[in-house]
Amino acid sequence: MKNFKAWEIIEGFSSREKVLFRQFAGLEMVCREKYVVQLYDLLVTRAEDIPDNPAIFSALYPGESFNDSRIRYLKAQLFSLLKKFIFLQYPDMLFEDLAVFKHLREKKLMNLYRKEEQKCTTENKLVPPEKSMDYLHRYFRAFEWHNHNTKTNRIATAYLEQLNLNIDLFFIIEKLKLACTSHNLQRLYKVQVQTSLLEPVLVHVQSENLQEKHPLLAIYYHALQMLRTGDAGNFQRLKSLLFESDAAFPVDEIKDAWMLALNYCIQEINKGNTDFYKEALLFYEKGIENQILIENGYLSPITYSNAITVALRGKDYDSAGQFLERYQKNLQGEEQQEYYHFNLSKYYFETGNFEKVIELYYQSNIKEVLLHIQVRIIQIKAFFEMEEYEICRNLIDNLQQHLSRKDILAYHKENYRNISRMFRHLLTLNRYNPQSALNFLKKVEHVSPLTEKTWLVAKVESWVGVKRGR
């Protein structure tokens, strides 16, 4: 019985290849199913008279009732193991199946070659590509089949369309990804990055309407158009594609586009577009639920904090509180309690529960230096709101002592020193003197960096009814 695929490959092996494969299969890290190795040994020792499935079962499982599906499983596992072994013999090959095709050609196993080609062809029709590399993979498959068939048929053209389409799609998707990265770098760092051939590519995409036919291409097409034009329509199209496709594509394939959409929301929020508070929070929540914002099994404390900040800035206190509690468990180790207490302090302060902020002052034991400083700043503001000015002065002194540490970056030191200085000035300010208030506001406007500028300005304006610029 020689009509199964694993045996066809084994039969074509040289004596040396059989020995090498047996050594490979015997490695526990390669194969933990001992019966697969035993099946191989049985086949090699009985090469002249290959047993049928019942005989194989009796040899491997003496005394047990025949189970045909178990033997089929072992044969499939042996074939899979053989393909892995063959792949290692062709280090120049990017994909396992292409190494197998080359091996089958060289061994003149054309019957098995045709079976595998038909299997891959069916797979191409039934399984849509999940990542750009899938298009490259399909290109190389078609390239293999085209070259093989032209040796027997000089006018073979059956694979040319596949070759053109798949190499184009791979190139276009990667070009769009690169263009998104380049545009983002230009925005963040004010550097000029040239993306060659981008305009002809976009013209081709639009003329062929490729963004309507290929979802992965569409994701990065609309991401790029969103970055270039700032148009909310492209953002909404990108959002729809991402939310529809988050289960269809691997996380690594759409994570960059997800972050571009999220950053667009933050930019719109910073422009004063309040509609985007909910949009950003939705991207945070779905990004965590679908593992897109999870790294090495954990949620970044920065992402956790940013999402809560977005909800608080949008005055969506219910969502902020729910997010705070729901995703605390996704933080790693000590970060759980430290970042939970930090964000809980923010939550209590923004909801006007200053007593709770002060309770946390006595309860929290945050060791991370910058986080400790940020919590202290929230607590200074809470004590200020409760008119506990002497405690404010003591906390400001404590804050300045922390800033003497050498492990705090210069930017952070400058920012926190400015905050300390402005807080001290605020404590001495005559809130009933409009001119004094205006002078303070002008001073605050010119101090940079100063991350508490908004609170300082709002506090002074609320006292005397003045506005900046008057």
Side-chain angles (χ1 to χ4, degrees), residues 95 106 113 119 142 144 151 288 297 314 374 419 450:
F95 304 100
E106 291 175 348
Y113 184 102
K119 176 188 171 186
E144 161 67 34
K151 291 178 181 178
I288 295 170
Q374 291 177 70
I419 290 172
L450 182 62

Side-chain angles (χ1 to χ4, degrees), residues 110-338:
M110 302 320 301
N111 182 52
L112 186 52
Y113 184 102
R114 284 189 290 273
K115 287 180 183 177
E116 289 301 294
E117 180 183 349
Q118 184 58 48
K119 176 188 171 186
C120 290
T121 300
T122 302
E123 179 187 296
N124 283 351
K125 292 177 181 177
L126 297 179
V127 182
E130 294 183 344
K131 48 188 183 293
S132 61
M133 282 296 287
D134 289 343
Y135 291 108
L136 186 63
H137 189 178
R138 293 181 180 209
Y139 166 79
F140 279 120
R141 278 180 177 176
F143 188 78
E144 161 67 34
W145 302 335
H146 173 76
N147 283 348
H148 170 63
N149 281 278
T150 51
K151 291 178 181 178
T152 56
N153 181 0
R154 292 185 178 181
I155 58 171
T157 59
Y159 303 102
L160 291 179
E161 184 177 348
Q162 293 181 49
L163 283 165
N164 277 299
L165 177 63
N166 285 299
I167 197 63
D168 282 356
L169 290 174
F170 170 74
F171 171 77
I172 290 169
I173 292 170
E174 289 300 311
K175 179 61 71 174
L176 292 173
K177 287 181 183 179
L178 185 59
C180 287
T181 300
S182 300
H183 194 282
N184 220 23
L185 288 173
Q186 289 178 30
R187 181 182 65 83
L188 292 173
Y189 303 108
K190 311 302 180 187
V191 295
Q192 291 299 316
V193 182
Q194 296 298 323
T195 309
S196 60
L197 299 178
L198 178 60
E199 295 308 321
V201 163
L202 291 175
V203 169
H204 177 69
V205 168
Q206 292 157 3
S207 65
E208 297 296 322
N209 211 21
L210 296 179
Q211 74 275 18
E212 298 299 326
K213 302 173 185 176
H214 305 283
L216 184 57
L217 183 151
I219 284 173
Y220 283 96
Y221 171 80
H222 287 289
L224 179 61
Q225 297 294 55
M226 176 190 74
L227 291 173
R228 297 178 92 190
T229 66
D231 175 44
N234 280 298
F235 164 78
Q236 290 297 338
R237 183 66 182 127
L238 174 61
K239 173 188 169 185
S240 297
L241 286 163
L242 287 172
F243 286 8
E244 290 165 7
S245 306
D246 57 4
F249 299 113
V251 167
D252 288 347
E253 195 66 18
I254 61 170
K255 185 170 185 175
D256 287 347
W258 196 277
M259 295 308 300
L260 290 173
L262 182 52
N263 289 337
Y264 178 85
C265 293
I266 303 303
Q267 290 171 43
E268 289 300 305
I269 288 170
N270 291 336
K271 291 177 184 176
N273 193 337
T274 57
D275 292 340
F276 279 84
Y277 284 112
K278 287 186 177 180
E279 296 281 18
L281 199 58
L282 187 60
F283 268 94
Y284 278 120
E285 289 174 338
K286 285 186 70 68
I288 295 170
E289 291 167 9
N290 298 331
Q291 301 293 303
I292 295 168
L293 299 180
I294 300 296
E295 300 174 5
N296 301 317
Y298 295 100
L299 174 63
S300 158
I302 304 303
T303 302
Y304 176 71
S305 301
N306 287 347
I308 294 167
T309 298
V310 164
L312 291 174
R313 285 180 63 187
K315 302 190 184 307
D316 187 352
Y317 301 125
D318 288 342
S319 293
Q322 290 167 12
F323 197 100
L324 182 71
E325 299 295 335
R326 183 185 304 158
Y327 298 113
Q328 176 197 2
K329 64 182 184 298
N330 294 100
L331 299 172
Q332 184 176 15
E334 289 185 358
E335 290 177 348
Q336 270 200 31
Q337 284 305 310
E338 291 197 344

Side-chain angles (χ1 to χ4, degrees), residues 301-421:
I302 304 303
T303 302
Y304 176 71
S305 301
N306 287 347
I308 294 167
T309 298
V310 164
L312 291 174
R313 285 180 63 187
K315 302 190 184 307
D316 187 352
Y317 301 125
D318 288 342
S319 293
Q322 290 167 12
F323 197 100
L324 182 71
E325 299 295 335
R326 183 185 304 158
Y327 298 113
Q328 176 197 2
K329 64 182 184 298
N330 294 100
L331 299 172
Q332 184 176 15
E334 289 185 358
E335 290 177 348
Q336 270 200 31
Q337 284 305 310
E338 291 197 344
Y339 278 88
Y340 175 73
H341 277 113
F342 166 58
N343 286 289
L344 192 57
S345 293
K346 288 196 302 184
Y347 173 78
Y348 284 144
F349 183 83
E350 293 298 330
T351 54
N353 199 338
F354 306 124
E355 292 86 353
K356 286 288 187 180
V357 177
I358 292 167
E359 280 182 31
L360 284 175
Y361 167 68
Y362 297 106
Q363 294 173 6
S364 60
N365 182 28
I366 296 175
K367 297 176 183 177
E368 204 274 315
V369 177
L370 292 182
L371 206 59
H372 177 87
I373 290 172
Q374 291 177 70
V375 170
R376 285 293 175 264
I377 289 171
I378 296 169
Q379 290 159 350
I380 290 169
K381 294 194 296 183
F383 278 114
F384 188 91
E385 296 286 0
M386 297 183 70
E387 300 183 355
E388 296 285 356
Y389 302 129
E390 192 57 39
I391 297 177
C392 285
R393 290 186 181 91
N394 292 335
L395 286 175
I396 292 170
D397 290 340
N398 178 266
L399 175 59
Q400 289 182 319
Q401 288 174 10
H402 273 82
L403 295 178
S404 64
R405 293 178 58 127
K406 293 181 179 179
D407 55 350
I408 301 177
L409 295 176
Y411 171 84
H412 293 302
K413 279 190 178 181
E414 186 179 4
N415 176 47
Y416 296 135
R417 281 173 177 160
N418 287 339
I419 290 172
S420 297
R421 188 158 50 88

